[in-house]
PDB file of all heavy atoms in Angstrom:
ATOM      1  N   ASN A 173     -15.348   4.870  -7.789  1.00  0.00           N
ATOM      2  CA  ASN A 173     -16.460   4.204  -8.483  1.00  0.00           C
ATOM      3  C   ASN A 173     -17.766   4.333  -7.679  1.00  0.00           C
ATOM      4  O   ASN A 173     -17.773   4.597  -6.483  1.00  0.00           O
ATOM      5  CB  ASN A 173     -16.141   2.727  -8.719  1.00  0.00           C
ATOM      6  CG  ASN A 173     -16.059   1.916  -7.446  1.00  0.00           C
ATOM      7  OD1 ASN A 173     -17.044   1.343  -7.009  1.00  0.00           O
ATOM      8  ND2 ASN A 173     -14.887   1.879  -6.806  1.00  0.00           N
ATOM      9  N   SER A 174     -18.853   4.163  -8.413  1.00  0.00           N
ATOM     10  CA  SER A 174     -20.200   4.206  -7.817  1.00  0.00           C
ATOM     11  C   SER A 174     -20.820   2.828  -7.658  1.00  0.00           C
ATOM     12  O   SER A 174     -21.697   2.652  -6.829  1.00  0.00           O
ATOM     13  CB  SER A 174     -21.138   5.103  -8.647  1.00  0.00           C
ATOM     14  OG  SER A 174     -20.729   6.429  -8.609  1.00  0.00           O
ATOM     15  N   GLN A 175     -20.372   1.863  -8.484  1.00  0.00           N
ATOM     16  CA  GLN A 175     -20.971   0.545  -8.384  1.00  0.00           C
ATOM     17  C   GLN A 175     -20.840  -0.026  -6.964  1.00  0.00           C
ATOM     18  O   GLN A 175     -21.730  -0.695  -6.471  1.00  0.00           O
ATOM     19  CB  GLN A 175     -20.333  -0.438  -9.367  1.00  0.00           C
ATOM     20  CG  GLN A 175     -20.519  -0.081 -10.821  1.00  0.00           C
ATOM     21  CD  GLN A 175     -19.223   0.459 -11.398  1.00  0.00           C
ATOM     22  OE1 GLN A 175     -18.591   1.327 -10.813  1.00  0.00           O
ATOM     23  NE2 GLN A 175     -18.840  -0.064 -12.569  1.00  0.00           N
ATOM     24  N   GLY A 176     -19.701   0.270  -6.349  1.00  0.00           N
ATOM     25  CA  GLY A 176     -19.452  -0.275  -5.029  1.00  0.00           C
ATOM     26  C   GLY A 176     -20.376   0.187  -3.936  1.00  0.00           C
ATOM     27  O   GLY A 176     -20.446  -0.434  -2.881  1.00  0.00           O
ATOM     28  N   ILE A 177     -21.101   1.292  -4.188  1.00  0.00           N
ATOM     29  CA  ILE A 177     -22.034   1.786  -3.142  1.00  0.00           C
ATOM     30  C   ILE A 177     -23.478   1.856  -3.667  1.00  0.00           C
ATOM     31  O   ILE A 177     -24.344   2.399  -2.996  1.00  0.00           O
ATOM     32  CB  ILE A 177     -21.593   3.168  -2.629  1.00  0.00           C
ATOM     33  CG1 ILE A 177     -21.264   4.175  -3.755  1.00  0.00           C
ATOM     34  CG2 ILE A 177     -20.357   3.012  -1.759  1.00  0.00           C
ATOM     35  CD1 ILE A 177     -22.421   4.933  -4.278  1.00  0.00           C
ATOM     36  N   MET A 178     -23.743   1.277  -4.822  1.00  0.00           N
ATOM     37  CA  MET A 178     -25.101   1.317  -5.362  1.00  0.00           C
ATOM     38  C   MET A 178     -26.068   0.481  -4.538  1.00  0.00           C
ATOM     39  O   MET A 178     -27.272   0.760  -4.489  1.00  0.00           O
ATOM     40  CB  MET A 178     -25.119   0.871  -6.818  1.00  0.00           C
ATOM     41  CG  MET A 178     -24.617   1.966  -7.758  1.00  0.00           C
ATOM     42  SD  MET A 178     -24.397   1.391  -9.470  1.00  0.00           S
ATOM     43  CE  MET A 178     -26.080   0.952  -9.928  1.00  0.00           C
ATOM     44  N   GLN A 179     -25.581  -0.561  -3.895  1.00  0.00           N
ATOM     45  CA  GLN A 179     -26.375  -1.357  -2.964  1.00  0.00           C
ATOM     46  C   GLN A 179     -26.045  -0.905  -1.542  1.00  0.00           C
ATOM     47  O   GLN A 179     -25.379  -1.593  -0.775  1.00  0.00           O
ATOM     48  CB  GLN A 179     -26.126  -2.829  -3.188  1.00  0.00           C
ATOM     49  CG  GLN A 179     -26.477  -3.338  -4.564  1.00  0.00           C
ATOM     50  CD  GLN A 179     -27.990  -3.255  -4.852  1.00  0.00           C
ATOM     51  OE1 GLN A 179     -28.797  -3.300  -3.951  1.00  0.00           O
ATOM     52  NE2 GLN A 179     -28.331  -3.094  -6.129  1.00  0.00           N
ATOM     53  N   SER A 180     -26.489   0.281  -1.201  1.00  0.00           N
ATOM     54  CA  SER A 180     -26.050   0.928   0.035  1.00  0.00           C
ATOM     55  C   SER A 180     -26.387   0.153   1.308  1.00  0.00           C
ATOM     56  O   SER A 180     -25.599   0.208   2.273  1.00  0.00           O
ATOM     57  CB  SER A 180     -26.586   2.342   0.129  1.00  0.00           C
ATOM     58  OG  SER A 180     -27.996   2.350   0.120  1.00  0.00           O
ATOM     59  N   PRO A 181     -27.503  -0.568   1.384  1.00  0.00           N
ATOM     60  CA  PRO A 181     -27.759  -1.336   2.632  1.00  0.00           C
ATOM     61  C   PRO A 181     -26.670  -2.361   2.930  1.00  0.00           C
ATOM     62  O   PRO A 181     -26.311  -2.575   4.102  1.00  0.00           O
ATOM     63  CB  PRO A 181     -29.094  -2.032   2.363  1.00  0.00           C
ATOM     64  CG  PRO A 181     -29.775  -1.176   1.345  1.00  0.00           C
ATOM     65  CD  PRO A 181     -28.674  -0.672   0.469  1.00  0.00           C
ATOM     66  N   VAL A 182     -26.121  -2.979   1.890  1.00  0.00           N
ATOM     67  CA  VAL A 182     -25.019  -3.950   2.066  1.00  0.00           C
ATOM     68  C   VAL A 182     -23.804  -3.246   2.639  1.00  0.00           C
ATOM     69  O   VAL A 182     -23.173  -3.712   3.587  1.00  0.00           O
ATOM     70  CB  VAL A 182     -24.690  -4.626   0.727  1.00  0.00           C
ATOM     71  CG1 VAL A 182     -23.423  -5.480   0.871  1.00  0.00           C
ATOM     72  CG2 VAL A 182     -25.855  -5.486   0.247  1.00  0.00           C
ATOM     73  N   VAL A 183     -23.458  -2.124   2.012  1.00  0.00           N
ATOM     74  CA  VAL A 183     -22.257  -1.377   2.434  1.00  0.00           C
ATOM     75  C   VAL A 183     -22.433  -0.884   3.868  1.00  0.00           C
ATOM     76  O   VAL A 183     -21.534  -1.034   4.698  1.00  0.00           O
ATOM     77  CB  VAL A 183     -22.010  -0.209   1.468  1.00  0.00           C
ATOM     78  CG1 VAL A 183     -20.816   0.631   1.943  1.00  0.00           C
ATOM     79  CG2 VAL A 183     -21.773  -0.713   0.054  1.00  0.00           C
ATOM     80  N   ARG A 184     -23.565  -0.312   4.171  1.00  0.00           N
ATOM     81  CA  ARG A 184     -23.798   0.257   5.497  1.00  0.00           C
ATOM     82  C   ARG A 184     -23.698  -0.803   6.572  1.00  0.00           C
ATOM     83  O   ARG A 184     -23.093  -0.610   7.630  1.00  0.00           O
ATOM     84  CB  ARG A 184     -25.151   0.957   5.549  1.00  0.00           C
ATOM     85  CG  ARG A 184     -25.404   1.731   6.866  1.00  0.00           C
ATOM     86  CD  ARG A 184     -26.675   2.506   6.822  1.00  0.00           C
ATOM     87  NE  ARG A 184     -26.629   3.625   5.885  1.00  0.00           N
ATOM     88  CZ  ARG A 184     -26.058   4.800   6.147  1.00  0.00           C
ATOM     89  NH1 ARG A 184     -25.469   4.995   7.302  1.00  0.00           N
ATOM     90  NH2 ARG A 184     -26.061   5.753   5.235  1.00  0.00           N
ATOM     91  N   GLU A 185     -24.260  -1.982   6.293  1.00  0.00           N
ATOM     92  CA  GLU A 185     -24.263  -3.072   7.275  1.00  0.00           C
ATOM     93  C   GLU A 185     -22.851  -3.565   7.547  1.00  0.00           C
ATOM     94  O   GLU A 185     -22.401  -3.607   8.716  1.00  0.00           O
ATOM     95  CB  GLU A 185     -25.126  -4.226   6.799  1.00  0.00           C
ATOM     96  CG  GLU A 185     -25.085  -5.443   7.712  1.00  0.00           C
ATOM     97  CD  GLU A 185     -25.814  -6.642   7.155  1.00  0.00           C
ATOM     98  OE1 GLU A 185     -26.428  -6.537   6.071  1.00  0.00           O
ATOM     99  OE2 GLU A 185     -25.774  -7.692   7.834  1.00  0.00           O
ATOM    100  N   HIS A 186     -22.113  -3.936   6.489  1.00  0.00           N
ATOM    101  CA  HIS A 186     -20.839  -4.605   6.687  1.00  0.00           C
ATOM    102  C   HIS A 186     -19.690  -3.657   6.994  1.00  0.00           C
ATOM    103  O   HIS A 186     -18.642  -4.061   7.551  1.00  0.00           O
ATOM    104  CB  HIS A 186     -20.519  -5.488   5.487  1.00  0.00           C
ATOM    105  CG  HIS A 186     -21.513  -6.581   5.281  1.00  0.00           C
ATOM    106  ND1 HIS A 186     -21.763  -7.546   6.242  1.00  0.00           N
ATOM    107  CD2 HIS A 186     -22.353  -6.864   4.238  1.00  0.00           C
ATOM    108  CE1 HIS A 186     -22.684  -8.391   5.807  1.00  0.00           C
ATOM    109  NE2 HIS A 186     -23.057  -7.994   4.591  1.00  0.00           N
ATOM    110  N   ALA A 187     -19.869  -2.367   6.641  1.00  0.00           N
ATOM    111  CA  ALA A 187     -18.841  -1.375   6.978  1.00  0.00           C
ATOM    112  C   ALA A 187     -19.165  -0.681   8.298  1.00  0.00           C
ATOM    113  O   ALA A 187     -18.335   0.083   8.794  1.00  0.00           O
ATOM    114  CB  ALA A 187     -18.696  -0.337   5.856  1.00  0.00           C
ATOM    115  N   GLY A 188     -20.361  -0.956   8.839  1.00  0.00           N
ATOM    116  CA  GLY A 188     -20.725  -0.340  10.120  1.00  0.00           C
ATOM    117  C   GLY A 188     -20.837   1.164  10.037  1.00  0.00           C
ATOM    118  O   GLY A 188     -20.439   1.890  10.964  1.00  0.00           O
ATOM    119  N   ILE A 189     -21.426   1.655   8.953  1.00  0.00           N
ATOM    120  CA  ILE A 189     -21.529   3.117   8.752  1.00  0.00           C
ATOM    121  C   ILE A 189     -22.722   3.663   9.538  1.00  0.00           C
ATOM    122  O   ILE A 189     -23.841   3.195   9.382  1.00  0.00           O
ATOM    123  CB  ILE A 189     -21.663   3.437   7.264  1.00  0.00           C
ATOM    124  CG1 ILE A 189     -20.397   2.970   6.529  1.00  0.00           C
ATOM    125  CG2 ILE A 189     -21.904   4.921   7.044  1.00  0.00           C
ATOM    126  CD1 ILE A 189     -20.471   3.079   5.023  1.00  0.00           C
ATOM    127  N   PRO A 190     -22.508   4.672  10.369  1.00  0.00           N
ATOM    128  CA  PRO A 190     -23.612   5.226  11.182  1.00  0.00           C
ATOM    129  C   PRO A 190     -24.704   5.844  10.319  1.00  0.00           C
ATOM    130  O   PRO A 190     -24.450   6.310   9.192  1.00  0.00           O
ATOM    131  CB  PRO A 190     -22.896   6.304  12.017  1.00  0.00           C
ATOM    132  CG  PRO A 190     -21.472   5.937  12.005  1.00  0.00           C
ATOM    133  CD  PRO A 190     -21.224   5.275  10.670  1.00  0.00           C
ATOM    134  N   GLU A 191     -25.908   5.891  10.854  1.00  0.00           N
ATOM    135  CA  GLU A 191     -27.042   6.418  10.133  1.00  0.00           C
ATOM    136  C   GLU A 191     -26.989   7.919   9.915  1.00  0.00           C
ATOM    137  O   GLU A 191     -27.724   8.462   9.088  1.00  0.00           O
ATOM    138  CB  GLU A 191     -28.349   6.065  10.853  1.00  0.00           C
ATOM    139  CG  GLU A 191     -28.671   4.571  10.854  1.00  0.00           C
ATOM    140  CD  GLU A 191     -28.961   4.035   9.444  1.00  0.00           C
ATOM    141  OE1 GLU A 191     -29.430   4.831   8.600  1.00  0.00           O
ATOM    142  OE2 GLU A 191     -28.715   2.843   9.201  1.00  0.00           O
ATOM    143  N   ASP A 192     -26.132   8.619  10.658  1.00  0.00           N
ATOM    144  CA  ASP A 192     -26.044  10.067  10.501  1.00  0.00           C
ATOM    145  C   ASP A 192     -25.072  10.485   9.402  1.00  0.00           C
ATOM    146  O   ASP A 192     -24.727  11.639   9.278  1.00  0.00           O
ATOM    147  CB  ASP A 192     -25.660  10.746  11.827  1.00  0.00           C
ATOM    148  CG  ASP A 192     -24.269  10.352  12.318  1.00  0.00           C
ATOM    149  OD1 ASP A 192     -23.638   9.470  11.693  1.00  0.00           O
ATOM    150  OD2 ASP A 192     -23.845  10.901  13.337  1.00  0.00           O
ATOM    151  N   GLN A 193     -24.625   9.500   8.605  1.00  0.00           N
ATOM    152  CA  GLN A 193     -23.743   9.792   7.473  1.00  0.00           C
ATOM    153  C   GLN A 193     -24.364   9.329   6.155  1.00  0.00           C
ATOM    154  O   GLN A 193     -25.070   8.314   6.133  1.00  0.00           O
ATOM    155  CB  GLN A 193     -22.392   9.105   7.656  1.00  0.00           C
ATOM    156  CG  GLN A 193     -21.603   9.594   8.864  1.00  0.00           C
ATOM    157  CD  GLN A 193     -20.331   8.827   9.097  1.00  0.00           C
ATOM    158  OE1 GLN A 193     -19.772   8.245   8.175  1.00  0.00           O
ATOM    159  NE2 GLN A 193     -19.904   8.780  10.374  1.00  0.00           N
ATOM    160  N   VAL A 194     -24.109  10.072   5.109  1.00  0.00           N
ATOM    161  CA  VAL A 194     -24.572   9.739   3.749  1.00  0.00           C
ATOM    162  C   VAL A 194     -23.426   9.039   2.995  1.00  0.00           C
ATOM    163  O   VAL A 194     -22.284   9.552   2.992  1.00  0.00           O
ATOM    164  CB  VAL A 194     -25.001  10.987   2.968  1.00  0.00           C
ATOM    165  CG1 VAL A 194     -25.392  10.627   1.532  1.00  0.00           C
ATOM    166  CG2 VAL A 194     -26.145  11.707   3.676  1.00  0.00           C
ATOM    167  N   ILE A 195     -23.718   7.893   2.412  1.00  0.00           N
ATOM    168  CA  ILE A 195     -22.689   7.155   1.625  1.00  0.00           C
ATOM    169  C   ILE A 195     -22.576   7.803   0.251  1.00  0.00           C
ATOM    170  O   ILE A 195     -23.554   7.886  -0.480  1.00  0.00           O
ATOM    171  CB  ILE A 195     -23.073   5.679   1.508  1.00  0.00           C
ATOM    172  CG1 ILE A 195     -23.133   5.027   2.887  1.00  0.00           C
ATOM    173  CG2 ILE A 195     -22.093   4.954   0.588  1.00  0.00           C
ATOM    174  CD1 ILE A 195     -23.686   3.612   2.865  1.00  0.00           C
ATOM    175  N   MET A 196     -21.364   8.268  -0.068  1.00  0.00           N
ATOM    176  CA  MET A 196     -21.190   9.032  -1.326  1.00  0.00           C
ATOM    177  C   MET A 196     -20.497   8.241  -2.419  1.00  0.00           C
ATOM    178  O   MET A 196     -20.998   8.122  -3.523  1.00  0.00           O
ATOM    179  CB  MET A 196     -20.417  10.315  -1.039  1.00  0.00           C
ATOM    180  CG  MET A 196     -20.253  11.196  -2.266  1.00  0.00           C
ATOM    181  SD  MET A 196     -19.384  12.727  -1.874  1.00  0.00           S
ATOM    182  CE  MET A 196     -19.375  13.459  -3.530  1.00  0.00           C
ATOM    183  N   LYS A 197     -19.298   7.737  -2.154  1.00  0.00           N
ATOM    184  CA  LYS A 197     -18.511   7.074  -3.184  1.00  0.00           C
ATOM    185  C   LYS A 197     -17.676   5.958  -2.600  1.00  0.00           C
ATOM    186  O   LYS A 197     -17.450   5.900  -1.389  1.00  0.00           O
ATOM    187  CB  LYS A 197     -17.531   8.085  -3.845  1.00  0.00           C
ATOM    188  CG  LYS A 197     -18.177   9.037  -4.828  1.00  0.00           C
ATOM    189  CD  LYS A 197     -18.586   8.343  -6.114  1.00  0.00           C
ATOM    190  CE  LYS A 197     -19.201   9.332  -7.096  1.00  0.00           C
ATOM    191  NZ  LYS A 197     -19.603   8.665  -8.355  1.00  0.00           N
TER     192      LYS A 197
END
Side-chain angles (χ1 to χ4, degrees):
N173 68 92
S174 293
Q175 297 106 311
I177 49 87
M178 283 172 63
Q179 299 295 332
S180 60
V182 172
V183 177
R184 187 175 291 280
E185 175 186 357
H186 297 301
I189 298 174
E191 292 294 333
D192 64 355
Q193 296 175 26
V194 177
I195 298 172
M196 182 178 180
K197 284 289 181 180

